Amino acid sequence: MGRVVVVTGASSGIGAEIARVLSARGDLCVLLARRLDRLQALANELGGEAEQCDVSDRAAVEAVAARVLARHPKIDVLVNNAGIPGRARFLDGDPDVIERLIRINYLGGIWCLRAFLPGLRAAAPSDVVNIVSVSGVIAGPPSGPYSASKHAQLAFSRTAAAELRTEGIRVHTVKPGFARTEGFPQKWLPRHVQRIVIGPDDVAAHVLRSLEQGRGETTVPWFYGPLAPLQDAMPNLFTRVLSRVPKAP
Ligand SMILES: NC(=O)c1ccc[n+]([C@@H]2O[C@H](COP(=O)([O-])OP(=O)(O)OC[C@H]3O[C@@H](n4cnc5c(N)ncnc54)[C@H](OP(=O)(O)O)[C@@H]3O)[C@@H](O)[C@H]2O)c1
């Protein structure tokens, strides 16, 4: 029998593609996001289930998880993917955007993990996939508040991986680079950088491999990986270079 998988942020982009690849291998996908019409259409296509949920609303997450766990006491995989972009400056960006980034990109994954943990424990060995970002290891304009939310999410994911390891719940931390999706059209990138932009299906294929091979923390595409230690090694050089990045429009 296929496994039961909960995918957050499944109404578009990377989450929808992950639901597609996991459904194709026979998993039953329970799709979560705010736009129910889009979730329902995908659930019909994949033979899955749709649940409207704002992951930043802790009470709503707990209520949805209780409903899902009543139908499926065992959850084999939780994919924490829901997230929003945020090209804004700390100094004068919209304060609501800065708060939303933290509530959705960082806290949302925590509330979902806590709410679905009884199901993951019941199904152990089970898996949690956290879709973080290369922005979780490199910070700078024009997306400082987004990057900060992803740094926090990375700390959560690494800590959860250590805390859950002995319980047979494996945490996969996936750090994608630029991918072209509805929320992240990547139109602002210069033409020479456009060549390295991948599709949401590439990230989904990577997630599938990560699950099948039991990989822990990974970067997709791989070549962003070596960049991360560079900012740690040469923070002052990065400050000088990044100070020349134009302000977000
Ligand atoms: N694209 C990239 O370049 C890139 C790179 C690295 C990491 N990522 C990460 O990948 C994840 C998916 O992004 P994407 O590129 O696929 O963007 P996307 O196409 O905009 O998808 C984002 C998904 O998150 C959902 N979502 C947003 N806020 C939500 C909330 N409060 N509650 C529940 N669901 C919510 C959206 O659905 P609703 O609007 O229907 O709620 C949508 O399904 C994000 O965590 C993002 O940070 C993306």
Side-chain angles (χ1 to χ4, degrees):
M1 202 181 84
R3 294 182 285 185
V4 178
V5 179
V6 173
V7 185
T8 74
S11 61
S12 66
I14 292 169
E17 290 305 317
I18 291 172
R20 282 200 172 89
V21 296
L22 296 183
S23 297
R25 71 168 188 180
D27 293 346
L28 174 80
C29 288
V30 183
L31 314 176
L32 271 58
R34 295 165 302 179
R35 288 170 295 177
L36 187 57
D37 50 338
R38 297 186 52 154
L39 281 184
Q40 197 58 65
L42 186 60
N44 293 346
E45 176 192 327
L46 303 179
E49 299 174 2
E51 288 281 354
Q52 189 170 37
C53 182
D54 179 343
V55 297
S56 69
D57 180 342
R58 183 156 47 93
V61 170
E62 286 168 2
V64 166
R67 273 204 306 277
V68 173
L69 289 170
R71 294 196 301 273
H72 308 290
K74 292 186 178 184
I75 303 295
D76 297 284
V77 185
L78 167 66
V79 183
N80 275 320
N81 163 78
I84 56 168
R87 297 189 68 214
R89 299 206 323 157
F90 284 114
L91 310 181
D92 49 17
D94 182 346
D96 288 341
V97 170
I98 295 174
E99 284 182 0
R100 260 204 312 277
L101 283 161
I102 290 297
R103 283 203 304 270
I104 297 173
N105 295 2
Y106 168 47
L107 294 174
I110 301 175
W111 306 148
C112 287
L113 175 58
R114 288 165 58 120
F116 285 102
L117 196 50
L120 291 161
R121 283 191 169 128
S126 50
D127 298 90
V128 175
V129 179
N130 291 319
I131 305 296
V132 187
S133 173
V134 168
S135 296
V137 283
I138 298 176
S143 305
Y146 173 78
S147 188
S149 74
K150 289 289 170 179
H151 273 63
Q153 189 196 13
L154 179 63
F156 151 63
S157 192
R158 287 176 170 171
T159 307
E163 287 179 350
L164 292 173
R165 194 166 185 274
T166 53
E167 296 197 43
I169 303 173
R170 188 187 294 270
V171 176
H172 309 261
T173 303
V174 175
K175 293 171 292 180
F178 297 120
R180 187 166 290 106
T181 61
E182 202 177 296
F184 299 74
Q186 313 295 10
K187 290 196 182 118
W188 67 282
L189 290 171
R191 197 182 308 165
H192 63 279
V193 184
Q194 293 285 349
R195 280 184 304 182
I196 60 165
V197 176
I198 58 175
D201 51 330
D202 296 312
V203 181
H206 177 88
V207 167
L208 182 60
R209 281 195 300 278
S210 181
L211 283 167
E212 288 178 347
Q213 297 168 8
R215 300 173 75 190
E217 184 170 325
T218 54
T219 303
V220 55
W222 66 269
F223 53 75
Y224 288 93
L227 289 178
L230 285 182
Q231 192 171 28
D232 280 341
M234 296 178 283
N236 300 325
L237 175 65
F238 265 69
T239 301
R240 281 199 295 280
V241 172
L242 291 170
S243 70
R244 298 196 198 111
V245 173
K247 275 170 77 169

